[in-house]
Amino acid sequence: MEKVAGVLEIKQGGFGFVRIGKDRDDIFIKREDLNGAMHGDRVLVLETVRKGRHEGEVLEVLDRRIVNLVGTLMKSRTGYFIMPDNDKYGDSFDIVESDKRLRQENVGKKVVAKLNKSGGVTLDEILGEEDEFGVDVLSIIRAYNLYEEFPEEVEREAKKEASQDIELSLERRLDLREKNIITIDPADAKDLDDAIHLEKREDGMWELGVHIADVSHYVREDSLLDKEAYARATSVYFPDRVLPMLPSVLSNDVCSLNPSTDKLTLSAIIVIDPYGEVVENKVHESIINVKTKFSYEQVQGIIDGDAELVKKHKKIIPTIEEMVKLAKVIEKKRRARGEVVFDVPEPKIVLDDETGKIIDVVARKHEMSHRIIETFMILCNEVVAKKMYDLEMPFIFRTHEKPDPAKVDAFIETLKPFAVQHRIDSENASGHAYQNMLDSLGEEISPIISSLALRSMQKAKYSEKNIGHFGLGATHYCHFTSPIRRYPDLVIHRVIKLLINRKISSHKKEQLFDFCKDASVQSSRMEVQATEAEREVDNLKKAQYMSDKIGEKFTGTISGLRDFGVFVYLPNTVEGLVRIDNMPSDNYIFNEKQMTYVGRKRTYKMGDKLDIIVAGVNIPRRQVEFTAAF
């Protein structure tokens, strides 16, 4: 018997497993031995090993993963209780303190309760009726302990910092206001933290300027704003709203690189030769004035030769043409060194501007206009990371470890039914091997295999130590280009400015090394939470969209097989389940190793096309069910 700590994962049957680490077996926990612990909690467990089976009992909840319990307010003979939206957290929770809002008119409404370590809850917030507009998304937001509003004292500090006279800080800044600087962003973006300029020099070199909002000028170290940004660590993006890392007076106004306005920035001026090699680079404190704000769609229209856009933006056409040339040169260089490019379409949720209701789900396009910005930002991030690494500065790197051999082995198994040729070595996986395999795929199965390949990878994270970035094939990488919405970028800017102004003492260096370590852990944790919340809202909206399509026919691709049915992926990124009883009638045998359903009349495998009919939608569980069309 041994006491160990780990993270609890509850399964649908009510039992759970405590994950200790990749070098330890998971510990099975019976439902009656959970002792108030819930899904996601970090717990202390008394572990027993019997005949090789690891079992345990939860002794103590060390850290609650959730603070907010979201559910429906109900009433019994003895009092009020909450039925949680997520059944992994249990069936019901009694409200342990009286509250004047506990009355009949609020029964049946969505509410938020605060959860304590002993499992008791107190009413915190009433969100509204379940079918009231916006309550569905707000319920998910609160379940992840996320908030739109900032504390009053933080808002006050933000307004004070925003009122600064920037003329007072111009003396040491490089004046780039005459440069032909542009932004390229989503059409509805309000927090514009990067801008670019590009000039082709007479010597054949390109001068690329990547200009990033100088958020650190307004968000001072250890201020209330800084502490709030540290706690949030990232902005969170939903189809109908953004939860910003910083108050809107900064994120959407003073720091945002809006056109025709003087803005304080950090500018990386990078000189690149015709082969994509960086020959010079330097970061400056600067001031810019964006000449034109473009959307991705506008730039793509110019690239595609849209007559109206070309006529309107005639002067910028040569610059955009050079941007396309440079982006392609840099992309080719990244591919040659082992970058892995995944063909995994992201969903774009289209909402009605007036009602906010979902009207469409489409696969988001990734066109040349996106690639220009993506390529220039990646290059800038690499250049900055290498320089700081070479100078042995305290820093936050963006790291991506090599794939775990066990996961690669599992991925290689899934390739067998597709008869995909590859040279991936699980013990020494390389980006080249992955990319060569992905390049060989046909259009039909590319998104499916790309998604499986992505799952075989480690998660990228932040670290004070540089171990490189496997996915990009980069030896040095960081996040420097989005300080409005990411805390690591803000920290990096502070380090760079201390270096530029020669204000970094050995004592300060030591302090920053410790802080970068803590900030890396916090930012990685909050990034995972934000990604989970964004994904859950996307799945909710997809389910809502498909609920109006019951009875309609679609053609999809088989993306997964289980002993209970097959998953089908539609071109609009919606995935649903066809249970085995709803497949064309046959005597099927499920071959788990080969991932096939073999019947007397037909065989189904991953990547096969399948006509389906939408049979039903479970919106609370974000699940879509299909039947095969036959």
Side-chain angles (χ1 to χ4, degrees), residues 103-121:
R103 51 181 185 264
Q104 187 60 41
E105 65 191 65
N106 287 327
V107 171
K109 290 183 178 179
K110 287 289 180 186
V111 298
V112 183
K114 290 294 183 186
L115 186 69
N116 58 38
K117 275 193 175 183
S118 63
V121 298

Side-chain angles (χ1 to χ4, degrees), residues 8-19:
L8 177 64
E9 184 177 319
I10 302 287
K11 299 298 183 181
Q12 278 193 336
F15 58 89
F17 290 91
V18 173
R19 314 290 186 192

Side-chain angles (χ1 to χ4, degrees), residues 1 55 77 147 153 178 193 201 223 234 250 252 265 292 308 320 355-356 408 448 489 496 544 618 621 623:
M1 300 177 74
E55 298 182 359
R77 292 180 181 178
Y147 291 85
E153 59 272 23
E178 297 306 312
D193 43 19
R201 303 194 326 190
S223 64
T234 182
L250 295 178
N252 293 356
T265 47
T292 313
E308 188 176 335
I320 290 178
T355 65
V408 179
I448 305 297
D489 307 52
I496 290 171
Q544 290 174 346
N618 186 327
R621 289 185 179 271
Q623 293 173 347

Side-chain angles (χ1 to χ4, degrees), residues 50 133 248 283 577 593:
R50 295 189 181 92
F133 173 67
S248 61
V283 178
L577 172 67
K593 191 171 183 180

Side-chain angles (χ1 to χ4, degrees), residues 468-527:
H469 195 293
F470 177 84
L472 289 171
T475 53
H476 311 83
Y477 197 65
C478 71
H479 277 168
F480 165 82
T481 53
S482 294
I484 290 177
R485 63 183 181 90
R486 292 188 305 227
Y487 193 75
D489 307 52
L490 176 57
V491 175
I492 284 171
H493 280 220
R494 287 193 184 124
V495 174
I496 290 171
K497 288 172 71 173
L498 286 170
L499 186 64
I500 289 173
N501 295 296
R502 299 180 181 179
K503 291 184 177 180
I504 187 156
S505 64
S506 57
H507 176 66
K508 183 64 178 176
K509 228 178 179 182
E510 192 176 325
Q511 280 185 325
L512 281 170
F513 274 118
D514 290 339
F515 183 75
C516 285
K517 183 178 181 179
D518 293 341
S520 295
V521 172
Q522 166 68 359
S523 297
S524 296
R525 186 176 71 85
M526 293 306 293
E527 179 188 34

